[in-house]
Amino acid sequence: MGNENSVAKHLQNAQRTGVCQLSDMNLDEFPMHLLKMSGKLRTLDISCNKFHELPGSIGKFLMLKSLNMNQNRLNLSGNSLKALPSDLKDLQAIELNLNQNQISELPESLHLCPRLKVLRFEENCVPLRGVPEKLLADSKVSLLAFDGNLFDQKSFQSRPGYDAYIERYTATRKKFD
């Protein structure tokens, strides 16, 4: 772990503010003390560290609106992630970027993420069957970015649940027009 005193100061501040800034602290493992704040943290920045794996406990952060893990040995985009924890149902992030990894299947639990609106998984190894039908039919996701996987737009349009997804997508687009 990096500088313990500095991490402790940041954790104390996060307890008061709901924002935890632990970027560029030479951390090589997820600070488990953060779990005590899983119901309070809104923003977590653990970028520019040396993480090797995404901890399954990240799904316990019930209030999390922003998660930045960029420029780690595990960066949510641009790494060699082959899989995600299977239980992400409590993840509170609004956008999840998994681009340029080696993911072959999206977890079924993503459809349960109550705030997830944007899911980017471009340039992975996901076959059409690796996109859960419930993610299309029953989630809040209104933008799926999936170019560079093992299926094309035409086959994606024939996937069960696509109609429900495209309704959410269209409604969201109309809000911004």
Side-chain angles (χ1 to χ4, degrees), residues 53-104:
E53 60 185 36
L54 178 66
S57 57
I58 203 74
K60 296 182 191 271
F61 288 81
L62 302 178
M63 302 301 292
L64 199 61
K65 293 179 182 174
S66 174
L67 170 62
N68 184 354
M69 290 184 69
N70 293 332
Q71 297 181 20
N72 277 284
R73 290 184 182 149
L74 171 83
N75 178 341
L76 291 177
S77 64
N79 284 279
S80 299
L81 289 177
K82 294 181 181 180
L84 296 169
S86 61
D87 188 7
L88 293 172
K89 70 180 182 322
D90 294 324
L91 184 66
Q92 296 291 316
I94 294 170
E95 181 172 345
L96 183 56
N97 186 334
L98 304 168
N99 291 344
Q100 299 174 336
N101 283 291
Q102 297 173 10
I103 297 168
S104 60

mmCIF file of all heavy atoms in Angstrom, residues 53-104:
data_model
loop_
_atom_site.group_PDB
_atom_site.id
_atom_site.type_symbol
_atom_site.label_atom_id
_atom_site.label_comp_id
_atom_site.label_asym_id
_atom_site.label_seq_id
_atom_site.Cartn_x
_atom_site.Cartn_y
_atom_site.Cartn_z
ATOM 1 N N GLU A 53 -6.582 -5.848 -10.042
ATOM 2 C CA GLU A 53 -7.910 -6.433 -10.217
ATOM 3 C C GLU A 53 -8.990 -5.520 -9.688
ATOM 4 O O GLU A 53 -8.755 -4.718 -8.788
ATOM 5 C CB GLU A 53 -7.999 -7.797 -9.539
ATOM 6 C CG GLU A 53 -7.742 -7.757 -8.051
ATOM 7 C CD GLU A 53 -7.712 -9.147 -7.440
ATOM 8 O OE1 GLU A 53 -7.233 -10.077 -8.094
ATOM 9 O OE2 GLU A 53 -8.176 -9.277 -6.294
ATOM 10 N N LEU A 54 -10.141 -5.629 -10.297
ATOM 11 C CA LEU A 54 -11.309 -4.890 -9.853
ATOM 12 C C LEU A 54 -11.924 -5.670 -8.701
ATOM 13 O O LEU A 54 -12.308 -6.819 -8.875
ATOM 14 C CB LEU A 54 -12.314 -4.762 -10.992
ATOM 15 C CG LEU A 54 -13.613 -4.066 -10.685
ATOM 16 C CD1 LEU A 54 -13.380 -2.600 -10.366
ATOM 17 C CD2 LEU A 54 -14.549 -4.188 -11.879
ATOM 18 N N PRO A 55 -12.001 -5.094 -7.511
ATOM 19 C CA PRO A 55 -12.540 -5.850 -6.385
ATOM 20 C C PRO A 55 -14.043 -6.057 -6.525
ATOM 21 O O PRO A 55 -14.769 -5.152 -6.923
ATOM 22 C CB PRO A 55 -12.220 -4.964 -5.177
ATOM 23 C CG PRO A 55 -12.125 -3.598 -5.738
ATOM 24 C CD PRO A 55 -11.614 -3.747 -7.147
ATOM 25 N N GLY A 56 -14.497 -7.258 -6.225
ATOM 26 C CA GLY A 56 -15.928 -7.542 -6.258
ATOM 27 C C GLY A 56 -16.700 -6.660 -5.303
ATOM 28 O O GLY A 56 -17.876 -6.363 -5.532
ATOM 29 N N SER A 57 -16.049 -6.185 -4.262
ATOM 30 C CA SER A 57 -16.706 -5.341 -3.262
ATOM 31 C C SER A 57 -17.112 -3.985 -3.818
ATOM 32 O O SER A 57 -17.862 -3.254 -3.178
ATOM 33 C CB SER A 57 -15.791 -5.157 -2.048
ATOM 34 O OG SER A 57 -14.550 -4.599 -2.441
ATOM 35 N N ILE A 58 -16.676 -3.642 -5.021
ATOM 36 C CA ILE A 58 -17.039 -2.356 -5.608
ATOM 37 C C ILE A 58 -18.558 -2.258 -5.765
ATOM 38 O O ILE A 58 -19.128 -1.176 -5.733
ATOM 39 C CB ILE A 58 -16.296 -2.119 -6.949
ATOM 40 C CG1 ILE A 58 -16.217 -0.639 -7.273
ATOM 41 C CG2 ILE A 58 -16.900 -2.896 -8.073
ATOM 42 C CD1 ILE A 58 -15.252 0.127 -6.447
ATOM 43 N N GLY A 59 -19.215 -3.379 -5.897
ATOM 44 C CA GLY A 59 -20.668 -3.405 -6.017
ATOM 45 C C GLY A 59 -21.401 -3.054 -4.740
ATOM 46 O O GLY A 59 -22.611 -2.846 -4.750
ATOM 47 N N LYS A 60 -20.701 -2.954 -3.631
ATOM 48 C CA LYS A 60 -21.325 -2.615 -2.351
ATOM 49 C C LYS A 60 -21.455 -1.111 -2.132
ATOM 50 O O LYS A 60 -22.050 -0.673 -1.167
ATOM 51 C CB LYS A 60 -20.526 -3.228 -1.208
ATOM 52 C CG LYS A 60 -20.526 -4.736 -1.227
ATOM 53 C CD LYS A 60 -19.754 -5.287 -0.056
ATOM 54 C CE LYS A 60 -19.520 -6.750 -0.202
ATOM 55 N NZ LYS A 60 -20.455 -7.634 0.285
ATOM 56 N N PHE A 61 -20.902 -0.319 -3.041
ATOM 57 C CA PHE A 61 -20.949 1.131 -2.895
ATOM 58 C C PHE A 61 -22.284 1.636 -3.422
ATOM 59 O O PHE A 61 -22.433 1.966 -4.587
ATOM 60 C CB PHE A 61 -19.757 1.781 -3.601
ATOM 61 C CG PHE A 61 -18.469 1.545 -2.872
ATOM 62 C CD1 PHE A 61 -17.775 0.355 -3.008
ATOM 63 C CD2 PHE A 61 -17.977 2.505 -2.006
ATOM 64 C CE1 PHE A 61 -16.608 0.121 -2.308
ATOM 65 C CE2 PHE A 61 -16.813 2.289 -1.296
ATOM 66 C CZ PHE A 61 -16.120 1.094 -1.447
ATOM 67 N N LEU A 62 -23.245 1.709 -2.539
ATOM 68 C CA LEU A 62 -24.632 1.945 -2.909
ATOM 69 C C LEU A 62 -24.918 3.361 -3.396
ATOM 70 O O LEU A 62 -25.870 3.577 -4.133
ATOM 71 C CB LEU A 62 -25.541 1.623 -1.726
ATOM 72 C CG LEU A 62 -25.440 0.194 -1.194
ATOM 73 C CD1 LEU A 62 -26.343 0.016 0.010
ATOM 74 C CD2 LEU A 62 -25.783 -0.796 -2.285
ATOM 75 N N MET A 63 -24.129 4.328 -3.021
ATOM 76 C CA MET A 63 -24.380 5.725 -3.395
ATOM 77 C C MET A 63 -23.427 6.223 -4.489
ATOM 78 O O MET A 63 -23.507 7.371 -4.888
ATOM 79 C CB MET A 63 -24.244 6.637 -2.160
ATOM 80 C CG MET A 63 -25.173 6.276 -1.014
ATOM 81 S SD MET A 63 -26.906 6.319 -1.458
ATOM 82 C CE MET A 63 -27.136 8.046 -1.709
ATOM 83 N N LEU A 64 -22.532 5.369 -4.971
ATOM 84 C CA LEU A 64 -21.493 5.786 -5.896
ATOM 85 C C LEU A 64 -22.075 6.287 -7.215
ATOM 86 O O LEU A 64 -22.841 5.599 -7.878
ATOM 87 C CB LEU A 64 -20.545 4.618 -6.167
ATOM 88 C CG LEU A 64 -19.181 4.955 -6.724
ATOM 89 C CD1 LEU A 64 -18.404 5.846 -5.757
ATOM 90 C CD2 LEU A 64 -18.401 3.678 -6.973
ATOM 91 N N LYS A 65 -21.725 7.523 -7.565
ATOM 92 C CA LYS A 65 -22.160 8.124 -8.825
ATOM 93 C C LYS A 65 -21.005 8.199 -9.815
ATOM 94 O O LYS A 65 -21.223 8.208 -11.012
ATOM 95 C CB LYS A 65 -22.702 9.535 -8.587
ATOM 96 C CG LYS A 65 -23.975 9.552 -7.795
ATOM 97 C CD LYS A 65 -24.441 10.963 -7.566
ATOM 98 C CE LYS A 65 -25.693 10.967 -6.718
ATOM 99 N NZ LYS A 65 -26.105 12.306 -6.365
ATOM 100 N N SER A 66 -19.792 8.293 -9.310
ATOM 101 C CA SER A 66 -18.630 8.433 -10.182
ATOM 102 C C SER A 66 -17.499 7.558 -9.653
ATOM 103 O O SER A 66 -17.137 7.645 -8.481
ATOM 104 C CB SER A 66 -18.186 9.896 -10.211
ATOM 105 O OG SER A 66 -16.993 10.031 -10.937
ATOM 106 N N LEU A 67 -16.971 6.720 -10.520
ATOM 107 C CA LEU A 67 -15.854 5.854 -10.183
ATOM 108 C C LEU A 67 -14.780 6.055 -11.238
ATOM 109 O O LEU A 67 -15.024 5.854 -12.425
ATOM 110 C CB LEU A 67 -16.293 4.388 -10.161
ATOM 111 C CG LEU A 67 -15.186 3.340 -10.044
ATOM 112 C CD1 LEU A 67 -14.432 3.496 -8.726
ATOM 113 C CD2 LEU A 67 -15.773 1.948 -10.169
ATOM 114 N N ASN A 68 -13.594 6.462 -10.818
ATOM 115 C CA ASN A 68 -12.486 6.648 -11.736
ATOM 116 C C ASN A 68 -11.369 5.705 -11.326
ATOM 117 O O ASN A 68 -10.792 5.845 -10.253
ATOM 118 C CB ASN A 68 -11.995 8.099 -11.713
ATOM 119 C CG ASN A 68 -10.904 8.357 -12.734
ATOM 120 O OD1 ASN A 68 -10.422 7.445 -13.402
ATOM 121 N ND2 ASN A 68 -10.511 9.603 -12.853
ATOM 122 N N MET A 69 -11.096 4.728 -12.180
ATOM 123 C CA MET A 69 -9.994 3.790 -11.965
ATOM 124 C C MET A 69 -9.001 3.849 -13.116
ATOM 125 O O MET A 69 -8.251 2.918 -13.344
ATOM 126 C CB MET A 69 -10.537 2.360 -11.808
ATOM 127 C CG MET A 69 -11.280 2.141 -10.516
ATOM 128 S SD MET A 69 -11.795 0.436 -10.298
ATOM 129 C CE MET A 69 -10.226 -0.370 -10.059
ATOM 130 N N ASN A 70 -8.994 4.935 -13.859
ATOM 131 C CA ASN A 70 -8.110 5.058 -15.011
ATOM 132 C C ASN A 70 -6.645 5.021 -14.613
ATOM 133 O O ASN A 70 -6.275 5.376 -13.506
ATOM 134 C CB ASN A 70 -8.385 6.365 -15.759
ATOM 135 C CG ASN A 70 -9.748 6.367 -16.396
ATOM 136 O OD1 ASN A 70 -10.285 5.317 -16.739
ATOM 137 N ND2 ASN A 70 -10.328 7.541 -16.527
ATOM 138 N N GLN A 71 -5.832 4.607 -15.556
ATOM 139 C CA GLN A 71 -4.379 4.563 -15.431
ATOM 140 C C GLN A 71 -3.904 3.759 -14.231
ATOM 141 O O GLN A 71 -3.034 4.157 -13.481
ATOM 142 C CB GLN A 71 -3.805 5.982 -15.416
ATOM 143 C CG GLN A 71 -4.082 6.711 -16.701
ATOM 144 C CD GLN A 71 -3.507 8.092 -16.721
ATOM 145 O OE1 GLN A 71 -2.603 8.419 -15.959
ATOM 146 N NE2 GLN A 71 -4.023 8.931 -17.604
ATOM 147 N N ASN A 72 -4.500 2.616 -14.075
ATOM 148 C CA ASN A 72 -4.016 1.603 -13.146
ATOM 149 C C ASN A 72 -3.501 0.454 -13.993
ATOM 150 O O ASN A 72 -3.669 0.437 -15.203
ATOM 151 C CB ASN A 72 -5.161 1.093 -12.260
ATOM 152 C CG ASN A 72 -5.402 1.991 -11.079
ATOM 153 O OD1 ASN A 72 -4.656 1.973 -10.128
ATOM 154 N ND2 ASN A 72 -6.448 2.800 -11.170
ATOM 155 N N ARG A 73 -2.885 -0.499 -13.361
ATOM 156 C CA ARG A 73 -2.582 -1.724 -14.088
ATOM 157 C C ARG A 73 -3.908 -2.369 -14.477
ATOM 158 O O ARG A 73 -3.994 -3.069 -15.454
ATOM 159 C CB ARG A 73 -1.744 -2.661 -13.233
ATOM 160 C CG ARG A 73 -0.349 -2.111 -13.034
ATOM 161 C CD ARG A 73 0.514 -3.046 -12.275
ATOM 162 N NE ARG A 73 1.817 -2.428 -12.084
ATOM 163 C CZ ARG A 73 2.577 -2.638 -11.064
ATOM 164 N NH1 ARG A 73 2.196 -3.461 -10.115
ATOM 165 N NH2 ARG A 73 3.734 -2.047 -10.963
ATOM 166 N N LEU A 74 -4.913 -2.083 -13.675
ATOM 167 C CA LEU A 74 -6.282 -2.412 -14.046
ATOM 168 C C LEU A 74 -6.992 -1.108 -14.325
ATOM 169 O O LEU A 74 -7.359 -0.379 -13.425
ATOM 170 C CB LEU A 74 -7.014 -3.141 -12.928
ATOM 171 C CG LEU A 74 -8.492 -3.285 -13.232
ATOM 172 C CD1 LEU A 74 -8.757 -4.459 -14.099
ATOM 173 C CD2 LEU A 74 -9.310 -3.271 -12.014
ATOM 174 N N ASN A 75 -7.160 -0.804 -15.567
ATOM 175 C CA ASN A 75 -7.923 0.361 -15.988
ATOM 176 C C ASN A 75 -9.178 -0.216 -16.599
ATOM 177 O O ASN A 75 -9.110 -1.150 -17.376
ATOM 178 C CB ASN A 75 -7.103 1.123 -17.021
ATOM 179 C CG ASN A 75 -7.793 2.335 -17.576
ATOM 180 O OD1 ASN A 75 -9.000 2.472 -17.491
ATOM 181 N ND2 ASN A 75 -7.016 3.204 -18.175
ATOM 182 N N LEU A 76 -10.319 0.294 -16.262
ATOM 183 C CA LEU A 76 -11.537 -0.298 -16.778
ATOM 184 C C LEU A 76 -11.550 -0.322 -18.295
ATOM 185 O O LEU A 76 -12.194 -1.158 -18.894
ATOM 186 C CB LEU A 76 -12.763 0.443 -16.240
ATOM 187 C CG LEU A 76 -13.014 0.254 -14.755
ATOM 188 C CD1 LEU A 76 -14.206 1.073 -14.310
ATOM 189 C CD2 LEU A 76 -13.217 -1.199 -14.408
ATOM 190 N N SER A 77 -10.848 0.591 -18.932
ATOM 191 C CA SER A 77 -10.694 0.513 -20.381
ATOM 192 C C SER A 77 -9.217 0.360 -20.707
ATOM 193 O O SER A 77 -8.358 0.845 -19.985
ATOM 194 C CB SER A 77 -11.280 1.762 -21.052
ATOM 195 O OG SER A 77 -10.573 2.902 -20.663
ATOM 196 N N GLY A 78 -8.951 -0.357 -21.774
ATOM 197 C CA GLY A 78 -7.586 -0.485 -22.247
ATOM 198 C C GLY A 78 -6.714 -1.436 -21.461
ATOM 199 O O GLY A 78 -5.512 -1.229 -21.369
ATOM 200 N N ASN A 79 -7.288 -2.469 -20.893
ATOM 201 C CA ASN A 79 -6.531 -3.476 -20.164
ATOM 202 C C ASN A 79 -6.852 -4.850 -20.715
ATOM 203 O O ASN A 79 -7.463 -4.985 -21.752
ATOM 204 C CB ASN A 79 -6.859 -3.408 -18.670
ATOM 205 C CG ASN A 79 -6.177 -2.232 -18.021
ATOM 206 O OD1 ASN A 79 -5.014 -2.289 -17.684
ATOM 207 N ND2 ASN A 79 -6.912 -1.146 -17.884
ATOM 208 N N SER A 80 -6.508 -5.848 -19.993
ATOM 209 C CA SER A 80 -6.742 -7.222 -20.427
ATOM 210 C C SER A 80 -7.773 -7.915 -19.547
ATOM 211 O O SER A 80 -7.672 -9.109 -19.297
ATOM 212 C CB SER A 80 -5.425 -8.004 -20.387
ATOM 213 O OG SER A 80 -4.497 -7.413 -21.263
ATOM 214 N N LEU A 81 -8.756 -7.150 -19.088
ATOM 215 C CA LEU A 81 -9.803 -7.759 -18.275
ATOM 216 C C LEU A 81 -10.516 -8.825 -19.093
ATOM 217 O O LEU A 81 -10.935 -8.577 -20.218
ATOM 218 C CB LEU A 81 -10.851 -6.720 -17.854
ATOM 219 C CG LEU A 81 -10.461 -5.688 -16.830
ATOM 220 C CD1 LEU A 81 -11.615 -4.723 -16.615
ATOM 221 C CD2 LEU A 81 -10.083 -6.344 -15.533
ATOM 222 N N LYS A 82 -10.661 -10.004 -18.508
ATOM 223 C CA LYS A 82 -11.355 -11.090 -19.196
ATOM 224 C C LYS A 82 -12.760 -11.274 -18.652
ATOM 225 O O LYS A 82 -13.614 -11.845 -19.323
ATOM 226 C CB LYS A 82 -10.560 -12.379 -19.065
ATOM 227 C CG LYS A 82 -9.242 -12.288 -19.808
ATOM 228 C CD LYS A 82 -8.458 -13.550 -19.718
ATOM 229 C CE LYS A 82 -7.158 -13.339 -20.483
ATOM 230 N NZ LYS A 82 -6.300 -14.469 -20.479
ATOM 231 N N ALA A 83 -12.984 -10.811 -17.441
ATOM 232 C CA ALA A 83 -14.302 -10.978 -16.819
ATOM 233 C C ALA A 83 -14.495 -9.903 -15.767
ATOM 234 O O ALA A 83 -13.540 -9.262 -15.330
ATOM 235 C CB ALA A 83 -14.403 -12.360 -16.171
ATOM 236 N N LEU A 84 -15.734 -9.723 -15.386
ATOM 237 C CA LEU A 84 -16.112 -8.809 -14.311
ATOM 238 C C LEU A 84 -16.700 -9.619 -13.173
ATOM 239 O O LEU A 84 -17.177 -10.738 -13.392
ATOM 240 C CB LEU A 84 -17.162 -7.822 -14.812
ATOM 241 C CG LEU A 84 -16.713 -6.881 -15.912
ATOM 242 C CD1 LEU A 84 -17.909 -6.141 -16.492
ATOM 243 C CD2 LEU A 84 -15.713 -5.892 -15.372
ATOM 244 N N PRO A 85 -16.713 -9.080 -11.963
ATOM 245 C CA PRO A 85 -17.391 -9.792 -10.881
ATOM 246 C C PRO A 85 -18.835 -10.064 -11.293
ATOM 247 O O PRO A 85 -19.484 -9.248 -11.952
ATOM 248 C CB PRO A 85 -17.330 -8.812 -9.709
ATOM 249 C CG PRO A 85 -16.180 -7.915 -10.020
ATOM 250 C CD PRO A 85 -16.141 -7.809 -11.518
ATOM 251 N N SER A 86 -19.353 -11.219 -10.924
ATOM 252 C CA SER A 86 -20.698 -11.600 -11.363
ATOM 253 C C SER A 86 -21.792 -10.799 -10.672
ATOM 254 O O SER A 86 -22.874 -10.641 -11.215
ATOM 255 C CB SER A 86 -20.924 -13.093 -11.138
ATOM 256 O OG SER A 86 -20.803 -13.390 -9.763
ATOM 257 N N ASP A 87 -21.520 -10.278 -9.487
ATOM 258 C CA ASP A 87 -22.570 -9.563 -8.757
ATOM 259 C C ASP A 87 -22.258 -8.078 -8.683
ATOM 260 O O ASP A 87 -21.547 -7.621 -7.806
ATOM 261 C CB ASP A 87 -22.726 -10.135 -7.352
ATOM 262 C CG ASP A 87 -23.920 -9.551 -6.623
ATOM 263 O OD1 ASP A 87 -24.710 -8.805 -7.255
ATOM 264 O OD2 ASP A 87 -24.069 -9.827 -5.431
ATOM 265 N N LEU A 88 -22.804 -7.342 -9.634
ATOM 266 C CA LEU A 88 -22.620 -5.893 -9.668
ATOM 267 C C LEU A 88 -23.940 -5.167 -9.472
ATOM 268 O O LEU A 88 -24.048 -3.979 -9.745
ATOM 269 C CB LEU A 88 -22.007 -5.471 -11.007
ATOM 270 C CG LEU A 88 -20.587 -5.925 -11.262
ATOM 271 C CD1 LEU A 88 -20.173 -5.602 -12.692
ATOM 272 C CD2 LEU A 88 -19.630 -5.295 -10.282
ATOM 273 N N LYS A 89 -24.954 -5.861 -8.993
ATOM 274 C CA LYS A 89 -26.313 -5.310 -8.941
ATOM 275 C C LYS A 89 -26.441 -4.045 -8.113
ATOM 276 O O LYS A 89 -27.338 -3.243 -8.358
ATOM 277 C CB LYS A 89 -27.304 -6.365 -8.454
ATOM 278 C CG LYS A 89 -27.184 -6.738 -6.993
ATOM 279 C CD LYS A 89 -28.209 -7.780 -6.626
ATOM 280 C CE LYS A 89 -28.242 -8.192 -5.222
ATOM 281 N NZ LYS A 89 -27.057 -8.324 -4.474
ATOM 282 N N ASP A 90 -25.565 -3.825 -7.166
ATOM 283 C CA ASP A 90 -25.660 -2.635 -6.328
ATOM 284 C C ASP A 90 -24.774 -1.492 -6.805
ATOM 285 O O ASP A 90 -24.733 -0.445 -6.174
ATOM 286 C CB ASP A 90 -25.307 -2.979 -4.875
ATOM 287 C CG ASP A 90 -26.308 -3.918 -4.255
ATOM 288 O OD1 ASP A 90 -27.509 -3.796 -4.574
ATOM 289 O OD2 ASP A 90 -25.911 -4.794 -3.467
ATOM 290 N N LEU A 91 -24.092 -1.691 -7.906
ATOM 291 C CA LEU A 91 -23.242 -0.637 -8.451
ATOM 292 C C LEU A 91 -24.095 0.578 -8.794
ATOM 293 O O LEU A 91 -25.107 0.465 -9.470
ATOM 294 C CB LEU A 91 -22.516 -1.142 -9.699
ATOM 295 C CG LEU A 91 -21.510 -0.195 -10.330
ATOM 296 C CD1 LEU A 91 -20.325 0.039 -9.399
ATOM 297 C CD2 LEU A 91 -21.024 -0.757 -11.653
ATOM 298 N N GLN A 92 -23.697 1.739 -8.328
ATOM 299 C CA GLN A 92 -24.485 2.954 -8.503
ATOM 300 C C GLN A 92 -23.924 3.886 -9.559
ATOM 301 O O GLN A 92 -24.406 4.998 -9.721
ATOM 302 C CB GLN A 92 -24.596 3.698 -7.161
ATOM 303 C CG GLN A 92 -25.333 2.930 -6.097
ATOM 304 C CD GLN A 92 -26.809 2.798 -6.423
ATOM 305 O OE1 GLN A 92 -27.448 3.751 -6.838
ATOM 306 N NE2 GLN A 92 -27.354 1.607 -6.239
ATOM 307 N N ALA A 93 -22.917 3.439 -10.285
ATOM 308 C CA ALA A 93 -22.341 4.290 -11.324
ATOM 309 C C ALA A 93 -23.358 4.544 -12.428
ATOM 310 O O ALA A 93 -24.193 3.696 -12.732
ATOM 311 C CB ALA A 93 -21.086 3.639 -11.895
ATOM 312 N N ILE A 94 -23.283 5.708 -13.037
ATOM 313 C CA ILE A 94 -24.167 6.074 -14.132
ATOM 314 C C ILE A 94 -23.573 5.606 -15.461
ATOM 315 O O ILE A 94 -24.289 5.213 -16.363
ATOM 316 C CB ILE A 94 -24.406 7.594 -14.131
ATOM 317 C CG1 ILE A 94 -25.185 7.962 -12.866
ATOM 318 C CG2 ILE A 94 -25.132 8.057 -15.387
ATOM 319 C CD1 ILE A 94 -25.290 9.443 -12.598
ATOM 320 N N GLU A 95 -22.252 5.633 -15.562
ATOM 321 C CA GLU A 95 -21.572 5.192 -16.784
ATOM 322 C C GLU A 95 -20.485 4.205 -16.412
ATOM 323 O O GLU A 95 -19.752 4.403 -15.451
ATOM 324 C CB GLU A 95 -20.962 6.377 -17.516
ATOM 325 C CG GLU A 95 -20.265 5.980 -18.793
ATOM 326 C CD GLU A 95 -19.808 7.166 -19.632
ATOM 327 O OE1 GLU A 95 -20.269 8.294 -19.378
ATOM 328 O OE2 GLU A 95 -18.995 6.948 -20.533
ATOM 329 N N LEU A 96 -20.382 3.134 -17.194
ATOM 330 C CA LEU A 96 -19.349 2.128 -16.994
ATOM 331 C C LEU A 96 -18.639 1.930 -18.326
ATOM 332 O O LEU A 96 -19.266 1.590 -19.329
ATOM 333 C CB LEU A 96 -19.979 0.819 -16.517
ATOM 334 C CG LEU A 96 -19.051 -0.335 -16.177
ATOM 335 C CD1 LEU A 96 -18.014 0.057 -15.126
ATOM 336 C CD2 LEU A 96 -19.855 -1.534 -15.689
ATOM 337 N N ASN A 97 -17.326 2.172 -18.339
ATOM 338 C CA ASN A 97 -16.533 2.076 -19.557
ATOM 339 C C ASN A 97 -15.615 0.868 -19.453
ATOM 340 O O ASN A 97 -14.710 0.843 -18.633
ATOM 341 C CB ASN A 97 -15.722 3.355 -19.751
ATOM 342 C CG ASN A 97 -14.991 3.389 -21.068
ATOM 343 O OD1 ASN A 97 -14.673 2.364 -21.651
ATOM 344 N ND2 ASN A 97 -14.702 4.588 -21.531
ATOM 345 N N LEU A 98 -15.880 -0.117 -20.295
ATOM 346 C CA LEU A 98 -15.103 -1.361 -20.304
ATOM 347 C C LEU A 98 -14.386 -1.558 -21.641
ATOM 348 O O LEU A 98 -14.003 -2.672 -21.984
ATOM 349 C CB LEU A 98 -16.041 -2.549 -20.061
ATOM 350 C CG LEU A 98 -16.873 -2.485 -18.788
ATOM 351 C CD1 LEU A 98 -17.960 -3.544 -18.805
ATOM 352 C CD2 LEU A 98 -15.985 -2.628 -17.575
ATOM 353 N N ASN A 99 -14.229 -0.484 -22.407
ATOM 354 C CA ASN A 99 -13.645 -0.576 -23.743
ATOM 355 C C ASN A 99 -12.253 -1.191 -23.731
ATOM 356 O O ASN A 99 -11.499 -1.061 -22.769
ATOM 357 C CB ASN A 99 -13.553 0.812 -24.390
ATOM 358 C CG ASN A 99 -14.896 1.379 -24.739
ATOM 359 O OD1 ASN A 99 -15.890 0.666 -24.791
ATOM 360 N ND2 ASN A 99 -14.937 2.671 -24.982
ATOM 361 N N GLN A 100 -11.929 -1.847 -24.830
ATOM 362 C CA GLN A 100 -10.597 -2.366 -25.117
ATOM 363 C C GLN A 100 -10.070 -3.304 -24.043
ATOM 364 O O GLN A 100 -8.991 -3.123 -23.499
ATOM 365 C CB GLN A 100 -9.622 -1.216 -25.362
ATOM 366 C CG GLN A 100 -10.016 -0.362 -26.541
ATOM 367 C CD GLN A 100 -9.146 0.852 -26.711
ATOM 368 O OE1 GLN A 100 -8.536 1.331 -25.758
ATOM 369 N NE2 GLN A 100 -9.080 1.366 -27.920
ATOM 370 N N ASN A 101 -10.865 -4.299 -23.738
ATOM 371 C CA ASN A 101 -10.447 -5.373 -22.851
ATOM 372 C C ASN A 101 -10.603 -6.690 -23.589
ATOM 373 O O ASN A 101 -10.688 -6.709 -24.820
ATOM 374 C CB ASN A 101 -11.272 -5.344 -21.558
ATOM 375 C CG ASN A 101 -10.811 -4.256 -20.621
ATOM 376 O OD1 ASN A 101 -9.731 -4.331 -20.058
ATOM 377 N ND2 ASN A 101 -11.619 -3.217 -20.465
ATOM 378 N N GLN A 102 -10.670 -7.779 -22.845
ATOM 379 C CA GLN A 102 -10.864 -9.107 -23.430
ATOM 380 C C GLN A 102 -12.085 -9.779 -22.821
ATOM 381 O O GLN A 102 -12.138 -10.991 -22.673
ATOM 382 C CB GLN A 102 -9.618 -9.961 -23.212
ATOM 383 C CG GLN A 102 -8.394 -9.402 -23.890
ATOM 384 C CD GLN A 102 -7.134 -10.147 -23.524
ATOM 385 O OE1 GLN A 102 -7.171 -11.203 -22.911
ATOM 386 N NE2 GLN A 102 -6.004 -9.596 -23.896
ATOM 387 N N ILE A 103 -13.059 -8.973 -22.467
ATOM 388 C CA ILE A 103 -14.267 -9.481 -21.826
ATOM 389 C C ILE A 103 -15.071 -10.297 -22.835
ATOM 390 O O ILE A 103 -15.278 -9.865 -23.966
ATOM 391 C CB ILE A 103 -15.109 -8.313 -21.267
ATOM 392 C CG1 ILE A 103 -14.308 -7.587 -20.183
ATOM 393 C CG2 ILE A 103 -16.450 -8.793 -20.741
ATOM 394 C CD1 ILE A 103 -14.885 -6.265 -19.748
ATOM 395 N N SER A 104 -15.514 -11.479 -22.414
ATOM 396 C CA SER A 104 -16.262 -12.350 -23.313
ATOM 397 C C SER A 104 -17.735 -12.467 -22.938
ATOM 398 O O SER A 104 -18.504 -13.077 -23.673
ATOM 399 C CB SER A 104 -15.632 -13.746 -23.348
ATOM 400 O OG SER A 104 -15.636 -14.306 -22.057
#
